[in-house]
Amino acid sequence: VGLDTRISLDRVRATLAHEIGTHIVTHYNGSQQPFRELYAGMAGYEPLQEGLAVLAEYLSDELSHTRMRLLAGRVVAVDMMCNGADFIESFHGMVNGYGFSQASAFTICMRVYRGGGYTKDFIYLQGLVKVLDYLAAGKQLEQLYIGKINYEHLDFIEELQWRKVLIAPRLRPRFLTDPRTASRLKQLRQGKNIVQIMREAS
């Protein structure tokens, strides 16, 4: 990290919830299980991980409108790239079509086009939608912290827990102990959209 780097305190807290409260917690919990895949990552685990990480930002009250717009912009840039647009075309599309500043558009496109093309940013919001559907179906959030798992394996994971092969997650993210988190989770379990809730609160 460069000595001249400046990061807002809000983004520091959000990053802690995202990286530590999700990725490190699930890695540790997975390492306590008898199967290596639960900490190394089961096939196709990334959408659930990143969706859970974005949710962590929201539940810790650090997910801003600007951050949501950035995540959406990255999805749009990935879509443009996958449909044949080059860096310059995507850059102009982000500026002229979606109103991003030139600096933000350049950063988004640089992230998406690096190394010949990086499409992972597509899964952040895709994963978030799936986590929200999971909560709206009445499922328990804590279950998702058992390790680095895929949505398709959730029934299998529940079966292994029932058979006492897997243990419950040993670590829980700190924000789950915050009383305000319970209120946010209640709204999400009622099927409310995060963007809608954020608009109503502002």
Side-chain angles (χ1 to χ4, degrees):
V1 179
L3 294 177
D4 60 344
T5 301
R6 295 291 180 268
I7 302 172
S8 71
L9 185 58
D10 288 346
R11 281 313 304 158
V12 171
R13 288 192 291 256
T15 301
L16 289 174
H18 185 116
E19 302 295 344
I20 307 298
T22 302
H23 300 322
I24 299 299
V25 165
T26 53
H27 176 83
Y28 175 81
N29 287 337
S31 73
Q32 305 304 298
Q33 307 294 349
F35 304 117
R36 181 178 182 274
E37 289 80 2
L38 285 170
Y39 74 86
M42 300 181 84
Y45 78 94
E46 292 93 345
L48 175 53
Q49 273 287 294
E50 298 303 346
L52 200 56
V54 175
L55 178 67
E57 295 182 41
Y58 170 71
L59 292 178
S60 59
D61 199 25
E62 301 297 344
L63 184 63
S64 65
H65 292 281
T66 301
R67 170 71 170 162
M68 282 293 286
R69 190 168 189 273
L70 175 64
L71 293 174
R74 291 173 180 172
V75 172
V76 171
V78 168
D79 183 65
M80 284 194 246
M81 180 182 68
C82 290
N83 282 291
D86 62 22
F87 185 101
I88 300 298
E89 290 171 325
S90 292
F91 171 80
H92 287 301
M94 299 304 291
V95 173
N96 300 323
Y98 295 95
F100 283 91
S101 69
Q102 290 189 353
S104 293
F106 181 82
T107 302
I108 290 170
C109 292
M110 181 176 64
R111 179 180 169 102
V112 168
Y113 282 85
R114 72 186 188 271
Y118 185 73
T119 59
K120 182 185 175 184
D121 283 330
F122 180 79
I123 68 173
Y124 284 68
L125 295 185
Q126 179 190 62
L128 177 62
V129 168
K130 288 187 175 182
V131 172
L132 295 179
D133 288 344
Y134 176 87
L135 289 174
K139 302 294 181 101
Q140 293 302 310
L141 181 63
E142 289 80 356
Q143 178 79 3
L144 302 181
Y145 290 98
I146 197 168
K148 296 184 182 295
I149 57 179
N150 185 344
Y151 291 102
E152 295 177 3
H153 300 135
L154 288 175
D155 289 342
F156 176 63
I157 295 296
E158 289 178 9
E159 174 76 11
L160 289 176
Q161 282 188 287
W162 181 78
R163 292 180 180 274
K164 309 279 193 240
V165 175
L166 301 180
I167 62 173
R170 291 208 169 156
L171 290 183
R172 298 171 74 241
R174 179 179 293 179
F175 58 78
L176 288 182
T177 63
D178 188 327
R180 294 171 296 179
T181 298
S183 173
R184 296 186 187 103
L185 278 173
K186 182 179 179 180
Q187 289 181 300
L188 296 179
R189 288 195 173 103
Q190 292 171 345
K192 289 190 176 181
N193 181 288
I194 282 182
V195 175
Q196 175 190 353
I197 296 170
M198 291 167 64
R199 282 177 180 164
E200 291 173 353
S202 62

